[in-house]
Amino acid sequence: MQLIQAIRGFNDILPPDTFYWNFLETHIRRLAALYGYEEIRLPIVEKTELFVRGVGEVTDIVEKEMYTFEDRNGDKLTLRPEGTACCVRAVLEHGLIHNQIQRLWYSGPMFRHERPQAGRYREFYQAGFEVFGIADVYIDAELILLTASLWRALGVLDKLSLQINTLGTPASREAHRTVLIQYFEEHRAALDEDSLRRLYKNPLRILDSKNPNMAEVIAGAPKLIDFLDADALKYFEQLQAILKENGINFTVNPSLVRGLDYYSHGVFEWVSHQLGAQATVCAGGRYDGLVSQLGGKPTPAVGFGIGLDRVILLLRANEKLPTLEQPLVYVLSVGEEAKAQSMKITENLRQSLQKPIVNDTSLASFKSQMKRADKSGAKIALIIGEDEVKAGTISVKFLREDRPQQAINQADLLGFLQNM
Ligand code: ATP
Ligand code: MG
């Protein structure tokens, strides 16, 4: 019979990789607590309408990347392609941002129908942080500081660079839009199909194109930064000043516009040159317009998402992965009676030592149990054979040290292991 395989772009995460994922997720959880962010857990499936309204109709995500289907009731549903719209939906639904500030984070799988390649999958993982109810630019800076301290904790801060830009206020964007359309009309021949379609609907989005053939025409385009009104300019200068004051290096990238519709003011990306075309590991910014776009009262908001798959690739590329936690003890038994005893002994050791212990209950040949003990990485093999059962002892064999094997009374075993 033919084996059933996973769907293209959907990956199994196997041991020992799961260990590295836990390591990353533990750091994120720790930092969230350190900065006062509370976890929120959100559904994986939402109404399609949420993303059409929340992400924007003229975006890569909504135009071509969503996993959308009808369920048995005929409701139009989508596997979430990102978390921000879901988070806003939830805080509105539960009244969490009614006259109050929220600092929230979440983590989990996202789904986009893209061409799978290194660092780009159809199911991928994001951790997202969102703050609601604070208009002050200091919170934007705090979020950036939080990401910097995550990279520092993971040992990859020097492998990443921070790019920032401003998308200004709606008024400044409008002024820019007019000249941008004019410019691209003059360079129509250089535009690809996507960009031609976006020319009048959402010309800013053209700047976000990943098509290398368009790099030149994009580089020459009028910069939003030259059209900022006083408010937008003040905000952006302040953001830069705070980052400098707090020792965060950055460059201003005027082409950084972000793929989603809801951003305004400051946007940022952390980029690595070690990840090929999939260089951005974290992206975010201010999105003051989104809450009202989804039916809430106008509420200032800012946040970011970390692409966890890409962070794992970066940790691997720099060998910044933790050493695997290996079992301390591997227990072997020979004979049914020994096996029955091993269960009790192992369970007792686990509870008392709180260390990982593997009990081999296969009753396979002594030689093959020893092979597995060695492969497990355990420091010690405990052997219970027929002689040990008779004598009430257990044999201790040191797998990583040049020490003679010794027999210990079962009653003394715990003390022996504790004093090692
Ligand atoms: P890209 O330009 O790489 O397509 P994006 O602008 O679509 O990214 P966002 O929507 O901002 O990405 O998502 C935030 C982060 O999530 C990205 O910076 C990236 O690290 C990660 N990410 C996005 N799409 C994928 C994917 N298909 N596979 C793996 N990671 C992804
Ligand atoms: Mg994308």
Side-chain angles (χ1 to χ4, degrees):
M1 214 195 307
Q2 210 183 352
L3 293 178
I4 298 169
Q5 298 194 320
I7 307 165
R8 194 163 120 82
F10 285 65
N11 299 312
D12 298 306
I13 303 176
L14 309 173
D17 281 5
T18 38
F19 181 82
Y20 305 135
W21 279 82
N22 279 324
F23 165 76
L24 173 58
E25 286 160 357
T26 302
H27 270 292
I28 291 171
R29 188 173 287 278
R30 211 190 97 243
L31 272 176
L34 219 54
Y35 284 78
Y37 288 70
E38 293 178 312
E39 187 182 6
I40 183 168
R41 297 199 182 201
L42 302 160
I44 283 172
V45 184
E46 297 271 2
K47 291 182 181 155
T48 303
E49 176 68 11
L50 174 65
F51 303 111
V52 176
R53 262 211 270 164
V55 175
E57 236 157 324
V58 192
T59 55
D60 277 350
I61 291 181
V62 172
E63 281 181 337
K64 50 192 178 193
E65 294 174 357
M66 291 203 302
Y67 276 91
T68 297
F69 60 97
E70 275 185 19
D71 75 356
R72 287 170 191 276
N73 301 330
D75 291 332
K76 230 176 156 200
L77 307 178
T78 295
L79 301 186
R80 63 182 185 195
E82 58 108 44
T84 304
C86 311
C87 188
V88 171
R89 197 263 314 133
V91 296
L92 285 174
E93 189 166 332
H94 301 286
L96 298 188
I97 53 172
H98 186 68
N99 297 330
Q100 52 185 323
I101 287 169
Q102 291 288 350
R103 290 178 173 82
L104 299 170
W105 74 280
Y106 50 83
S107 180
M110 306 290 162
F111 305 86
R112 298 185 193 176
H113 197 280
E114 307 192 65
R115 193 171 69 77
Q117 52 198 292
R120 190 176 295 284
Y121 314 108
R122 290 181 174 174
E123 180 180 34
F124 63 99
Y125 291 78
Q126 276 187 354
F129 284 66
E130 320 282 358
V131 180
F132 299 97
I134 305 180
D136 192 277
V137 63
Y138 274 87
I139 194 71
D140 306 44
E142 183 190 90
L143 281 171
I144 293 176
L145 256 55
L146 190 163
T147 52
S149 54
L150 176 63
W151 313 138
R152 198 177 301 113
L154 295 170
V156 291
L157 181 59
D158 61 337
K159 311 295 178 204
L160 288 164
S161 52
L162 174 66
Q163 301 188 353
I164 64 168
N165 190 27
T166 176
L167 299 183
T169 53
S172 42
R173 273 218 295 280
E174 198 47 49
H176 174 239
R177 183 190 150 94
T178 315
V179 292
L180 196 59
I181 292 179
Q182 226 167 19
Y183 170 83
F184 282 127
E185 277 175 337
E186 285 159 17
H187 296 81
R188 208 176 252 281
L191 300 186
D192 62 11
E193 198 184 314
D194 274 344
S195 304
L196 284 171
R197 191 159 30 80
R198 288 168 183 184
L199 180 53
Y200 299 103
K201 284 193 198 156
N202 199 340
L204 195 61
R205 191 84 325 118
I206 299 177
L207 302 181
D208 194 32
S209 166
K210 302 278 166 358
N211 183 347
N213 301 331
M214 299 236 331
E216 201 179 321
V217 67
I218 287 172
K223 309 276 183 273
L224 176 59
I225 216 160
D226 298 324
F227 293 81
L228 296 183
D229 55 27
D231 273 358
L233 204 58
K234 181 169 161 237
Y235 170 95
F236 195 45
E237 279 168 359
Q238 240 189 322
L239 177 62
Q240 295 181 57
I242 300 169
L243 292 177
K244 276 183 197 150
E245 242 169 72
N246 288 278
I248 305 283
N249 295 325
F250 61 87
T251 51
V252 174
N253 173 3
S255 301
L256 188 71
V257 297
R258 309 283 311 107
L260 316 181
D261 256 1
Y262 46 58
Y263 288 103
S264 58
H265 282 301
V267 291
F268 67 92
E269 288 193 3
W270 285 96
V271 182
S272 164
H273 66 274
Q274 296 177 313
L275 295 177
Q278 275 58 252
T280 303
V281 300
C282 171
R286 184 162 278 282
Y287 53 93
D288 291 344
L290 181 60
V291 175
S292 53
Q293 205 172 305
L294 288 174
K297 274 201 307 197
T299 306
V302 53
F304 65 80
I306 304 173
L308 301 185
D309 309 76
R310 294 183 191 175
V311 177
I312 295 274
L313 290 177
L314 190 65
L315 293 175
R316 272 190 186 296
N318 296 288
E319 292 173 6
K320 295 291 185 189
L321 293 167
T323 42
L324 278 170
E325 193 185 11
Q326 286 168 327
L328 174 68
V329 174
Y330 194 96
V331 183
L332 297 73
S333 26
V334 181
E336 286 294 344
E337 182 53 31
K339 177 171 160 178
Q341 285 191 9
S342 77
M343 185 83 180
K344 281 193 197 138
I345 293 170
T346 310
E347 195 53 25
N348 184 28
L349 289 180
R350 283 196 193 106
Q351 300 304 329
S352 311
L353 293 173
Q354 295 291 313
K355 292 269 170 58
I357 299 176
V358 175
N359 188 16
D360 190 332
T361 55
S362 66
L363 292 186
S365 75
F366 182 73
K367 199 173 150 203
S368 62
Q369 288 195 58
M370 271 315 290
K371 250 193 206 160
R372 287 199 289 245
D374 195 47
K375 198 172 161 223
S376 77
K379 289 202 179 70
I380 291 172
L382 295 181
I383 303 158
I384 316 173
E386 278 155 20
D387 294 346
E388 283 86 353
V389 170
K390 272 191 215 128
T393 58
I394 201 157
S395 292
V396 180
K397 187 174 168 61
F398 298 89
L399 298 172
R400 322 280 150 197
E401 282 172 86
D402 196 14
R403 275 171 76 172
Q405 181 169 323
Q406 62 190 103
I408 291 188
N409 281 327
Q410 287 192 11
D412 301 333
L413 180 64
L414 180 61
F416 176 83
L417 292 174
Q418 272 166 338
N419 291 325
M420 274 200 358

